[in-house]
Amino acid sequence: MKKLPLIVICGPTASGKTALAIEAAKRYGGEIVNADSMQIYKYMNIGTAKPSDAELAAAVHHLVGFIDPREQFSVADYVPAAHEVISEIVSRGHIPIVAGGTGLYITSLVNDVEFGDDGSDPEIRAELNRLAEEKGAEELLKMLAEFDPVSAERLHPNNLRRIVRAIEFYKTTGRTISEHQEETKRKESRYEPQMFMVDYERSVLYDRINRRVDIMLEQGLVGEVESLLDMGCTAEMQSMQGIGYKETIEYIKGSITLDECAELIKQNSRRYAKRQLTWFRRDGRIKTLAPGEYIQI
RNA sequence: GCCUUUGUAGCUCAGUCGGUAGAGCAAGGGACUGAAAAUCCCUGUGUCGGCGGUUCGAUUCCACCCGAAGGCA
């Protein structure tokens, strides 16, 4: 079976993915598929550095701003949605260009990781979290070890979130998450990706990040967050965990000054960029581009 | 000009009764399969201001020089 070609533009925040994607779309007759876990939300424009109206008009974009920020969303929602959009793009005779910085979304899509309809249950998850608070994460790890020793061995006792997830997976599917992971690794992907990332010198990237945060504040990030709070968003919501949002909420609540808020956003963005680099660096398929270099296919 | 205090990691500072030094923050590295802008793990990076003296050995003691802060004139 012929694999579907896919252009992927990934990399850390503030590395110019949007502009590169638009350029590639124009040049090769492509349509852009967002792979950013925060730009999927509506009303969150400034803080997520969503493409501007002009940029959105310059090329066809998909999966941008289509989820209400009060709602949950996950890779398991993203991947099937992206598959569908991509197959439509291909059927139009266009080239799909996946662009974004969320490593998990990109890898799961490109490697064609399967997410079934079951496999998640918010109630079980909440119950496990409650149990962890009572008895501690180590107790849960022991529990996990009884039916999935492979995962239990791999997970650090402090990583409660993953421990909970592994137990939740077993309880909802009757299979262990480690088995599931092995299976999906063996599976052939339907895609043949060409992956690119702009490789900035670290200090240059950090300058870009710092500058961009200043611009976000000038553009009215505080106002954007205020109106999100007005529409009922709360700090606990997934969308409000986004960098730029959680810190601005602290400022609006009065627990930090605007300067502290700006510094915190910058620092968290830099740390995020570092984590993104760690993720993408280990994917040997990614070709690095010099700053200013266009992608070549 | 004189007196006092001070100079140790990127920052704030500990410390060594003389045996080349350690915390917090910052930073760096890594993991990652349904919260992923999330979550978690690992790591001390240093002509101890400079130049001499004493000493087997000086970041530590002494002299001088340079910088910083305060005080007196």
Side-chain angles (χ1 to χ4, degrees), chain A residues 115-144:
Chain A
F115 299 94
D117 289 332
D118 54 1
S120 178
D121 186 330
E123 279 180 35
I124 292 179
R125 189 179 292 193
E127 172 60 27
L128 289 170
N129 278 314
R130 217 174 307 128
L131 200 65
E133 219 162 294
E134 238 175 77
K135 301 190 165 177
E138 259 143 281
E139 204 54 38
L140 291 197
L141 191 58
K142 272 186 213 157
M143 221 165 114
L144 176 64

Side-chain angles (χ1 to χ4, degrees), chain A residues 95-116:
Chain A
I95 297 179
I97 300 170
V98 174
T102 304
L104 179 67
Y105 283 18
I106 290 172
T107 306
S108 301
L109 173 64
V110 162
N111 293 351
D112 209 346
V113 173
E114 197 90 44
F115 299 94

Side-chain angles (χ1 to χ4, degrees), chain A residues 244-262:
Chain A
Y245 294 89
K246 53 185 172 197
E247 300 87 351
T248 303
I249 289 174
E250 289 305 304
Y251 164 65
I252 291 169
K253 274 167 45 190
S255 40
I256 56 175
T257 67
L258 190 57
D259 276 353
E260 288 169 337
C261 175

